[in-house]
Amino acid sequence: MKPILEVAGSFEIPEKYMELYGRYKSKLDLSLARDFDDRPDGKLVLVTAMNPTPAGEGKTLTTIGLAQALNAIGEPTIAALREPSLGPCLGMKGGATGDNKAKLMPSEDINLHFTGDLHAITSAHNLLAAMIDNHIFQGNNLQIDTGRIVWKRAMDMNDRSLRQIVVGLGEGNGSVHESGFMITTASEVMAVLCLSEDPQDLKERLSRMVVAYNMAGEMITASQIGAIDAMTVLLKDAIKPNLVQTSEGTPAIVHGGPFANIAHGCSSVIGTRTALKLAKVVVTEAGFGADLGAEKFFDIKCRQAGLKPDAAVLVVTVKALKYNGGVVKSELDGSNMEALRIGMANVVRHLENIQKFGVPVMVAINHFANDAEEEISFIIEECRHLGIKAEISEVWAKGSQGGIQMAKTLRDMLQDEPSRFAPLYPDDLSITAKIETIVKEIYRGEGIKLTPKAEIKIRDLERQGFGHLPVCMAKTPYSFSDQGNLLGAPNHFTMQVRDVTLSAGAGFVVVHTGNIVTMPGLPEHPAAERIHLNEQGDVAGLL
Amino acid sequence: MKPILEVAGSFEIPEKYMELYGRYKSKLDLSLARDFDDRPDGKLVLVTAMNPTPAGEGKTLTTIGLAQALNAIGEPTIAALREPSLGPCLGMKGGATGDNKAKLMPSEDINLHFTGDLHAITSAHNLLAAMIDNHIFQGNNLQIDTGRIVWKRAMDMNDRSLRQIVVGLGEGNGSVHESGFMITTASEVMAVLCLSEDPQDLKERLSRMVVAYNMAGEMITASQIGAIDAMTVLLKDAIKPNLVQTSEGTPAIVHGGPFANIAHGCSSVIGTRTALKLAKVVVTEAGFGADLGAEKFFDIKCRQAGLKPDAAVLVVTVKALKYNGGVVKSELDGSNMEALRIGMANVVRHLENIQKFGVPVMVAINHFANDAEEEISFIIEECRHLGIKAEISEVWAKGSQGGIQMAKTLRDMLQDEPSRFAPLYPDDLSITAKIETIVKEIYRGEGIKLTPKAEIKIRDLERQGFGHLPVCMAKTPYSFSDQGNLLGAPNHFTMQVRDVTLSAGAGFVVVHTGNIVTMPGLPEHPAAERIHLNEQGDVAGLL
């Protein structure tokens, strides 16, 4: 690892903007983006993927490797990534910092407490929760209905026992009511932080968050609770982007990590903007597959922030194609051209979808050792029929040297194919029409079916003036549909919209198409059982 | 503020031991104390106080000012202090970093997230809680009795609604049982971290913590849950002491901050040891008044760590004397010699008590603008009759220059009066006899009365081999007795011991003499309502 000051120096970031957290991590002062405002923006590239499978597609890995490879061919590039959540690192998922030769460093720190951003978000979230209950305890001037407190509590831990709880038991401990914990990444504070332009915008967004309803059924916002200034103080460092490096010393801005179902699943706007001022190319990613991740990146993050994406890279794997073609996980290693052919439909649909946003796209085939040559060739050939370039990425094994061709193809695409980016739908479409547009254009379902509850809530939201917000789809990531077992490219389904909820601070309406768990549980053998300090005092066992 | 590297340089701390958190905060690598092991230790001075009152005694202020003044008279001195908890900063207490010209810097950072130590402790605590419930969910091989899970959850927030809760409601969310949150400073993980010698000792102490009982009534320890290694990883940076500075650039090691009733209320052993290797004099403090703070500092921290305190400074105020003499808070400003005389008994008892540990002691009169000269003279004169020097401290108004005489008196005492420190009672006294010794020798009560529950639990603990542990008294800080309204120097009371609990990792038996609240609530108008970022983007309104 190079000292982070040296990494910053290679991109001419003056030391005065750096706030070091040890030798290898730094916050970047918010004045940097302001001071560099007259510089032209670099090109913005989204790395997204086909529908995720249990085999893992390597989207973060490819993003990091691609940034390294672009630097290797002389294009000064910064990766802009999400920061991992501690809970899943200790649970099932393991770390979220790439792997082997395309990896964020120092990966253990980044996967654990990092620079404390998630802890700050947890604190801000729970201060608001404590102040709501305290308001009720001290007399309840706002006449909050204790049966309709929608603001729960947050913790960056996988703890299913906290999903649904009763608080306030015992004498003098406030009003007894149901509550629950969500994992911090699911907190609206996280989404707000990631979509904010600056501290003032952060404060205004926090103020708008809906925390409860009063006895008359009216919304109570966070600003009415009196916690907003203190929350802004708690978030004053968390809002600054973090600078680290990849295994090849490429700068990476790792900042923010919201849920990709009930939130938009992208790293922070501030981080992306800062990177765009510093580099010729910025490579970023979005959660899950392109049906969720890319759609939200375009329709929520880019729409709100006025960002113009210049290109997209769709990560596919031979295994994921076969899985989408009906092969079970244990049999993915063997060649199966028939399954590959069926699974290709998943890739094709994602490619078509991205083009609907006016964004040029290429395919990166994340290569595994036991991929057969005919399988790879098939994918490349199929893409060529669509007029889309597909390149093999061997960044896991070879770092930048495994991504040179991919980087060159991307560079050419950025030069030759101008982006005509536009969001999928206009702001002034009705909420129902927005959902229908996404379901028909992106998921390719036949339509939607609203529960009576969803219908009433949509009508209420539009009456209350929230109809102009974009929608944020909460659905299974494993399928285009709302059923996780409909793989490939399903048709002839109708999406069930069970509920809609307002994230007024984040600025979107969440559309619930299934039962989304916002607090994961631990598996039978959590990763925490394996994580330890080795004899050198270094962290080991963290995947 | 000087850059922290410069502060460290003034005490010849090589840069290689520094891990910067921004320009003004640093962790010190654990190898520092090891590498400096052959250096002689500096002198260790405890700053303690008479019983606390609502007017505030300024113990932390005096500790900081004294360290500054010692440096001003040419004695290289480091302050070793507790780190503040976020919850109370946002609640009633305000910050805990001194004030005006005797203040820790950067105070806002230190009062808020600082270097993340408390967040790391919260995470480690809650990982263990999640893994206990997950163990039960996954089949409960250990046969944990869900009615006897003693390990609760932790949060660094004042939230009374979380004191007593029911978890695991809903389908698939684990077993339904009562639980609750304590504030992070009350977590045994905090006490363990503060008493640990090194990461190995930390791990062994964490392993010994009792988390539940099984159906057969046997103890289940944290090591049986399988979380110890991961907890140690989560605490790998939190165990390193933090270096900051005072308003005059005096180095301060600010590390750890356990509760002073159910825990021992002292900053970390590692921090103290590190300071002793770096400075000629180390000034440290302990929670509440000397009846709790000094007794635990001597009988728990110094006993366990083998530290030899060289002197103590008892902080008193004219107001606190009058308060202990029966004057109500609103009338403390006027002179009242009769009340002062009565209140002096409180000071005298604390001075006698400290001398019982063989530690030379002096008095610091923390000066307020409206103290009458005759009041100050009275205190000095009364102390002189006892053969004890009392000096006025004006460090709030004047910084080091307000503490020169106090510092010189302390320096002379350190030179002329050797400490003959010994703990109050030997390890092999029975638990009941240890409690009786403290009650009779320190509190001056007539004896103790155990509830049947306490009696049974003491018998069980001794049978299980925990009889050798020191006791940690949990009682009101406002009185020598177990009744907060018995001010001054009460006699003829009997202490009610309601319960005893084992902190096997911290290595003490907690003696509960009243209902100790381990999760504070917020007041009608929390400090969080006033804290904000001002126009310059700085934190304001944090007291």
Side-chain angles (χ1 to χ4, degrees):
Chain A
M1 258 187 295
K2 298 183 204 166
I4 195 67
L5 283 172
E6 193 180 310
V7 174
S10 69
F11 274 68
E12 288 166 18
I13 304 172
E15 202 177 320
K16 67 172 176 173
Y17 298 115
M18 308 277 288
E19 292 178 20
L20 295 181
Y21 283 63
R23 264 179 258 283
Y24 304 106
K25 296 166 283 181
S26 182
K27 287 266 174 197
L28 294 175
D29 198 84
L30 296 178
S31 60
L32 187 150
R34 276 201 304 275
D35 293 354
F36 284 25
D37 195 38
D38 54 352
R39 287 203 192 180
D41 279 341
K43 299 276 192 183
L44 180 58
V45 178
L46 174 71
V47 177
T48 182
M50 61 185 298
N51 286 91
T53 75
E57 286 61 58
K59 191 172 52 195
T60 302
L61 173 90
T62 306
T63 309
I64 296 165
L66 177 57
Q68 292 179 159
L70 283 161
N71 279 300
I73 63 167
E75 301 287 298
T77 299
I78 292 179
L81 297 167
R82 293 169 296 164
E83 55 188 306
S85 168
L86 181 59
C89 290
L90 300 168
M92 189 140 55
K93 187 164 179 262
T97 50
D99 194 17
N100 204 33
K101 294 198 171 171
K103 189 174 166 179
L104 293 176
M105 311 268 270
S107 64
E108 288 79 12
D109 284 7
I110 298 170
N111 279 317
L112 296 174
H113 308 294
F114 199 20
T115 56
D117 294 346
L118 270 79
H119 291 315
I121 291 167
T122 305
S123 293
H125 185 114
N126 291 330
L127 172 64
L128 181 55
M131 286 183 75
I132 294 165
D133 270 317
N134 189 55
H135 176 90
I136 296 165
F137 178 82
Q138 302 287 352
N140 201 8
N141 281 341
L142 292 170
Q143 291 285 296
I144 291 172
D145 179 351
T146 57
R148 295 189 71 192
I149 302 171
V150 294
W151 193 259
K152 299 190 171 182
R153 285 161 172 95
M155 186 187 282
D156 192 6
M157 194 59 64
N158 289 14
D159 190 347
R160 68 172 65 74
S161 295
L162 293 177
R163 283 175 191 154
Q164 202 177 331
I165 66 176
V166 169
V167 302
L169 297 168
E171 199 184 320
N173 298 337
S175 80
V176 176
H177 60 85
E178 281 210 25
S179 185
F181 277 76
M182 56 182 70
I183 193 162
T184 301
T185 46
S187 163
E188 190 178 349
V189 178
M190 171 62 92
V192 160
L193 184 119
C194 289
L195 288 166
S196 292
E197 298 282 328
D198 53 42
Q200 184 58 32
D201 187 30
L202 174 76
K203 192 171 147 178
E204 288 165 14
R205 286 172 178 268
L206 292 174
S207 303
R208 290 197 289 268
M209 298 189 308
V210 176
V211 299
Y213 294 83
N214 66 13
M215 306 297 186
E218 296 157 339
M219 286 175 175
I220 304 291
T221 62
S223 68
Q224 294 175 270
I225 304 299
I228 297 308
D229 280 312
M231 290 173 74
T232 309
V233 166
L234 288 173
L235 296 169
K236 78 181 172 65
D237 295 316
I239 198 179
K240 298 176 189 167
N242 306 296
L243 182 70
V244 291
Q245 65 190 290
T246 76
S247 31
E248 294 186 6
T250 292
I253 289 181
V254 177
H255 192 221
F259 250 42
N261 40 48
I262 62 151
H264 63 293
C266 305
S267 65
S268 78
V269 165
I270 291 179
T272 304
R273 273 197 204 297
T274 306
L276 287 169
K277 291 298 174 194
L278 295 169
K280 198 172 159 195
V281 183
V282 173
V283 187
T284 191
E285 58 166 354
F288 295 142
D291 51 332
L292 284 168
E295 190 272 314
K296 294 180 185 187
F297 176 77
F298 295 141
D299 277 332
I300 296 176
K301 180 175 174 179
C302 293
R303 179 197 303 261
Q304 286 198 14
L307 293 168
K308 302 274 177 215
D310 294 288
V313 176
L314 186 81
V315 178
V316 309
T317 65
V318 168
K319 284 184 189 181
L321 262 82
K322 287 186 284 194
Y323 187 85
N324 269 282
V327 178
V328 296
K329 191 187 172 191
S330 56
E331 289 168 19
L332 288 174
D333 280 350
S335 175
N336 184 334
M337 293 306 291
E338 181 51 25
L340 203 68
R341 192 163 289 120
I342 300 171
M344 188 69 201
N346 185 269
V347 176
V348 172
R349 186 175 288 182
H350 285 300
L351 292 170
E352 290 170 357
N353 286 348
I354 291 165
Q355 290 173 319
K356 288 184 181 176
F357 291 91
V359 176
V361 62
M362 66 172 285
V363 167
I365 305 166
N366 181 22
H367 187 265
F368 285 72
N370 49 8
D371 291 347
E373 206 160 306
E374 59 170 351
E375 294 176 313
I376 300 279
S377 307
F378 172 80
I379 298 171
I380 294 174
E381 198 53 40
E382 289 292 304
C383 289
R384 186 178 301 152
H385 287 312
L386 301 166
I388 284 170
K389 293 205 171 63
E391 302 290 355
I392 301 169
S393 169
E394 297 180 291
V395 299
W396 183 89
K398 301 178 184 170
S400 59
Q401 292 310 307
I404 297 295
Q405 195 49 53
M406 166 171 68
K408 286 183 177 167
T409 299
L410 176 62
R411 181 185 58 191
D412 294 347
M413 197 165 79
L414 288 170
Q415 274 165 10
D416 303 339
E417 298 184 43
S419 169
R420 286 177 299 273
F421 169 71
L424 189 69
Y425 54 81
D427 291 350
D428 59 7
L429 217 57
S430 74
I431 292 174
T432 304
K434 285 171 184 162
I435 304 170
E436 273 174 343
T437 303
I438 293 171
V439 169
K440 289 183 179 166
E441 294 286 323
I442 304 295
Y443 306 159
R444 318 293 178 93
E446 292 178 344
I448 62 173
K449 191 167 183 306
L450 305 171
T451 59
K453 182 182 178 186
E455 213 159 337
I456 292 168
K457 287 177 84 174
I458 288 174
R459 199 188 57 208
D460 286 351
L461 287 175
E462 291 186 334
R463 208 187 51 219
Q464 289 156 341
F466 296 103
H468 66 289
L469 294 178
V471 294
C472 179
M473 301 299 291
K475 77 160 180 74
T476 174
Y478 302 111
S479 168
F480 275 105
S481 76
D482 52 357
Q483 292 155 265
N485 57 351
L486 288 184
L487 304 180
N491 289 305
H492 311 300
F493 60 88
T494 301
M495 291 284 278
Q496 306 288 326
V497 175
R498 295 158 42 123
D499 195 8
V500 298
T501 51
L502 175 65
S503 291
F508 49 67
V509 172
V510 183
V511 178
H512 301 257
T513 68
N515 190 21
I516 302 294
V517 176
T518 56
M519 171 53 92
L522 290 170
E524 190 177 353
H525 292 289
E529 290 181 354
R530 298 181 295 276
I531 296 167
H532 62 278
L533 291 178
N534 65 18
E535 280 170 19
Q536 289 75 48
D538 297 327
V539 178
L542 180 67
L543 296 179
Chain B
M1 256 188 296
K2 299 182 203 166
I4 195 67
L5 283 172
E6 193 180 309
V7 173
S10 69
F11 274 68
E12 288 167 20
I13 304 172
E15 203 177 322
K16 67 173 177 173
Y17 298 114
M18 308 277 287
E19 292 178 21
L20 295 181
Y21 282 63
R23 264 179 259 284
Y24 304 106
K25 296 166 284 180
S26 182
K27 286 266 175 198
L28 294 174
D29 197 84
L30 295 178
S31 60
L32 187 151
R34 277 201 304 275
D35 293 353
F36 285 25
D37 195 38
D38 54 352
R39 287 202 193 180
D41 279 341
K43 299 277 191 183
L44 180 58
V45 177
L46 174 71
V47 176
T48 183
M50 61 186 297
N51 285 92
T53 74
E57 286 60 59
K59 191 172 52 194
T60 302
L61 173 91
T62 306
T63 309
I64 296 166
L66 177 57
Q68 292 180 157
L70 283 161
N71 278 300
I73 63 166
E75 301 287 299
T77 300
I78 292 180
L81 297 167
R82 292 168 296 165
E83 56 188 306
S85 167
L86 181 59
C89 290
L90 301 167
M92 189 137 58
K93 186 162 180 262
T97 50
D99 193 17
N100 203 34
K101 294 199 172 172
K103 190 173 164 178
L104 293 177
M105 311 269 269
S107 64
E108 288 79 12
D109 284 6
I110 298 169
N111 279 317
L112 296 174
H113 308 294
F114 198 21
T115 56
D117 295 345
L118 269 79
H119 291 316
I121 291 168
T122 306
S123 293
H125 184 113
N126 290 332
L127 172 64
L128 180 55
M131 286 183 73
I132 294 165
D133 270 317
N134 189 55
H135 176 90
I136 296 165
F137 179 82
Q138 303 287 352
N140 200 7
N141 281 342
L142 292 170
Q143 291 287 296
I144 291 171
D145 180 350
T146 56
R148 295 189 72 192
I149 302 171
V150 293
W151 193 258
K152 298 190 171 181
R153 285 160 172 95
M155 186 187 282
D156 191 7
M157 194 59 62
N158 290 15
D159 191 347
R160 68 171 66 73
S161 295
L162 293 178
R163 284 175 191 154
Q164 202 177 330
I165 66 175
V166 169
V167 302
L169 297 169
E171 199 185 319
N173 298 337
S175 79
V176 176
H177 60 85
E178 281 209 27
S179 185
F181 278 76
M182 56 181 71
I183 193 162
T184 301
T185 45
S187 164
E188 191 177 348
V189 178
M190 172 62 93
V192 160
L193 184 120
C194 289
L195 288 166
S196 292
E197 298 282 328
D198 53 43
Q200 183 58 30
D201 186 31
L202 175 76
K203 194 171 147 179
E204 287 165 15
R205 285 172 179 268
L206 292 174
S207 302
R208 290 197 289 268
M209 298 189 310
V210 176
V211 299
Y213 293 84
N214 67 12
M215 306 296 186
E218 296 158 339
M219 287 175 174
I220 304 292
T221 62
S223 69
Q224 293 175 268
I225 303 300
I228 297 308
D229 280 312
M231 290 173 75
T232 309
V233 166
L234 288 173
L235 297 169
K236 79 181 171 66
D237 295 316
I239 198 179
K240 298 175 189 167
N242 306 296
L243 182 69
V244 290
Q245 64 190 291
T246 75
S247 30
E248 294 185 7
T250 291
I253 289 181
V254 178
H255 192 221
F259 250 43
N261 40 47
I262 63 152
H264 62 293
C266 304
S267 65
S268 79
V269 165
I270 290 178
T272 304
R273 273 198 205 294
T274 305
L276 287 170
K277 291 298 175 194
L278 295 169
K280 196 172 159 194
V281 183
V282 173
V283 186
T284 190
E285 58 165 355
F288 295 142
D291 51 332
L292 284 169
E295 190 272 314
K296 294 180 184 186
F297 176 77
F298 295 142
D299 277 333
I300 297 176
K301 181 174 172 178
C302 292
R303 179 196 303 262
Q304 285 197 14
L307 293 168
K308 302 273 175 217
D310 293 287
V313 176
L314 187 80
V315 178
V316 308
T317 65
V318 167
K319 283 184 189 181
L321 262 83
K322 286 186 284 194
Y323 187 85
N324 269 283
V327 178
V328 296
K329 191 186 172 192
S330 56
E331 289 168 20
L332 288 174
D333 280 350
S335 174
N336 185 333
M337 293 305 292
E338 180 52 25
L340 203 68
R341 191 164 289 121
I342 300 171
M344 189 68 202
N346 186 269
V347 177
V348 172
R349 186 175 286 182
H350 285 300
L351 292 170
E352 290 170 357
N353 286 348
I354 291 167
Q355 289 173 320
K356 288 183 182 176
F357 291 90
V359 176
V361 60
M362 67 173 284
V363 167
I365 306 167
N366 180 22
H367 187 265
F368 284 72
N370 49 10
D371 292 346
E373 205 161 306
E374 59 170 352
E375 293 177 315
I376 300 279
S377 306
F378 172 80
I379 299 171
I380 294 175
E381 198 53 38
E382 289 291 304
C383 289
R384 185 178 301 152
H385 288 313
L386 300 167
I388 283 169
K389 293 204 171 63
E391 302 289 354
I392 301 170
S393 169
E394 297 179 291
V395 298
W396 183 88
K398 302 178 184 171
S400 60
Q401 291 312 304
I404 296 296
Q405 195 50 53
M406 165 171 69
K408 286 183 176 166
T409 299
L410 176 62
R411 180 184 58 191
D412 294 347
M413 197 166 80
L414 288 170
Q415 274 166 11
D416 304 338
E417 298 184 43
S419 169
R420 286 178 298 272
F421 169 72
L424 188 69
Y425 54 80
D427 291 349
D428 57 8
L429 217 58
S430 73
I431 293 174
T432 305
K434 284 172 185 162
I435 304 170
E436 274 174 344
T437 303
I438 294 171
V439 169
K440 289 182 179 167
E441 296 286 323
I442 305 294
Y443 305 160
R444 319 292 177 94
E446 292 178 343
I448 62 173
K449 191 165 183 308
L450 304 172
T451 59
K453 183 182 178 184
E455 214 159 337
I456 292 167
K457 287 177 85 173
I458 287 175
R459 200 190 54 206
D460 286 351
L461 287 175
E462 290 185 336
R463 208 188 50 218
Q464 289 156 343
F466 297 103
H468 66 288
L469 294 178
V471 294
C472 179
M473 301 299 290
K475 75 160 181 75
T476 174
Y478 301 111
S479 168
F480 275 106
S481 76
D482 53 357
Q483 292 155 266
N485 57 352
L486 288 184
L487 304 181
N491 289 306
H492 310 301
F493 60 88
T494 300
M495 291 284 278
Q496 307 288 325
V497 175
R498 294 159 43 123
D499 195 7
V500 297
T501 51
L502 175 66
S503 291
F508 49 66
V509 173
V510 183
V511 178
H512 300 258
T513 67
N515 190 20
I516 302 294
V517 175
T518 56
M519 171 54 91
L522 290 170
E524 191 177 353
H525 291 290
E529 289 182 355
R530 299 181 294 277
I531 296 166
H532 63 278
L533 291 178
N534 64 19
E535 280 169 20
Q536 289 76 48
D538 297 326
V539 178
L542 181 66
L543 295 178

